[in-house]
Amino acid sequence: LAILVPTARLLTGDHEIGIYATWVIGIAVSLVWLGARAIRLGLRPRDLVPRPALLRDLGRSALEHHFLNMALQAPSLALPMVVTATLSSAQNAYFYAAWMLAGFVFVPPVALAISLYAAATSPASLARKLRFTLGAATAIGVGANVVIFGGAYLILLPFGAAYADAAAWPLRIIALGVFGLIVKDHYVALCRINGRLTGAIPLIVVGSLAELALAAVGATRGGLTGLALGWLLAISAQATLMIPSLYRTARGAQSTQGAPALRQTQPHGHLPWWAQPHAE
């Protein structure tokens, strides 16, 4: 980001190349820093070489996780194409601004759900930490939606008045989807913890397809606002199906098969303060 501003000002043409160049430069700088850090820690080159033997028994599990991750990311990657195909490239520009800003609302709940997966050590601790992450994520979602509902126009105004006029209500509607995503992300974390990815993948795949389908239908009926409403309906329907599982686990009525292995592979020193294990 620091390199991007002077690059944009200095270049008179080929701005796209300049933008990508800042990405490459940033990666190069980070690799130099990481290399110096590795030398300082006393790491040897052979310590950084991949060891396939460690992955020999994890092939199926790795593929399941990868497939699930792809299904989770598909809607966010494909929705701009849906907008362009059903509306126009100009409308996609308005949508992408709203979608990008809503992403700032989505990140904290996703991070909390990921931390829950890393912190599971016992059924009792999982129930307690699930209640914490659900409460914290919901509080963040409520606060963010209050800000966005009242300030959507002003938030979009730096992009231009046309963006603020076209994307203010879609941004408000999309931001409401954070509550469905809170449930969805926590449900996925529980499935990872309990080793139930095989059962979760069909629901996530169908849900992702529903998000794209209802968004497309909404776009044809009501433009960007209709698209946002269609997507919100799809994510809310998924959350409705997942809530019972979260409720049972939050009450401590579900086991955490696979948690001992997590405890061995996840160093507690890398967990946030609330995830540190202690006596139950």
Side-chain angles (χ1 to χ4, degrees):
L1 290 176
I3 300 171
L4 181 61
V5 175
T7 301
R9 292 185 177 276
L10 291 174
L11 290 177
T12 57
D14 292 334
H15 289 85
E16 296 84 356
I17 296 177
I19 292 173
Y20 284 111
T22 62
W23 189 18
V24 175
I25 294 171
I27 293 174
V29 171
S30 68
L31 288 175
V32 171
W33 185 89
L34 288 173
R37 177 73 174 172
I39 294 173
R40 184 176 179 181
L41 292 175
L43 295 177
R44 296 162 295 182
R46 67 181 182 183
D47 296 327
L48 306 177
V49 176
R51 286 174 284 178
L54 296 177
L55 302 176
R56 186 171 298 137
D57 298 328
L58 301 176
R60 178 177 177 179
S61 178
L63 288 175
E64 288 178 342
H65 282 279
H66 177 67
F67 191 81
L68 180 60
N69 290 336
M70 293 296 293
L72 289 169
Q73 296 176 25
S76 62
L77 297 175
L79 274 174
M81 292 186 286
V82 171
V83 178
T84 301
T86 56
L87 298 175
S88 67
S89 57
Q91 291 295 308
N92 183 45
Y94 302 145
F95 166 78
Y96 197 79
W99 187 252
M100 177 182 63
L101 291 171
F104 287 98
V105 182
F106 300 156
V107 167
V110 172
L112 286 167
I114 293 174
S115 296
L116 176 70
Y117 171 65
T121 56
S122 69
S125 68
L126 176 60
R128 184 185 70 254
K129 290 163 185 173
L130 175 61
R131 292 192 295 268
F132 177 89
T133 56
L134 283 174
T138 302
I140 293 171
V142 170
N145 270 272
V146 169
V147 173
I148 287 179
F149 193 85
Y153 187 89
L154 293 176
I155 294 171
L156 285 162
L157 197 56
F159 292 91
Y163 283 83
D165 291 332
W169 272 107
L171 174 58
R172 293 183 180 106
I173 296 169
I174 291 171
L176 290 172
V178 69
F179 301 109
L181 288 174
I182 288 171
V183 175
K184 183 177 179 179
D185 291 331
H186 279 79
Y187 173 81
V188 170
L190 293 182
C191 290
R192 295 187 198 272
I193 292 169
N194 292 306
R196 298 174 181 172
L197 291 185
T198 303
I201 287 175
L203 176 58
I204 299 301
V205 171
V206 172
S208 296
L209 293 175
E211 291 177 41
L212 297 175
L214 291 181
V217 172
T220 58
R221 299 294 182 90
L224 284 184
T225 301
L227 179 141
L229 286 171
W231 177 80
L232 179 62
L233 177 62
I235 198 69
S236 299
Q238 294 175 70
T240 301
L241 297 176
M242 297 169 180
I243 284 175
S245 178
L246 297 186
Y247 178 74
R248 289 192 301 269
T249 305
R251 292 183 58 197
Q254 187 170 339
S255 65
T256 56
Q257 180 183 358
L262 277 175
R263 179 181 296 178
Q264 294 174 6
T265 58
Q266 299 287 349
H268 294 146
H270 294 280
L271 299 181
W273 64 267
W274 58 267
Q276 295 293 334
H278 61 271
E280 301 295 344

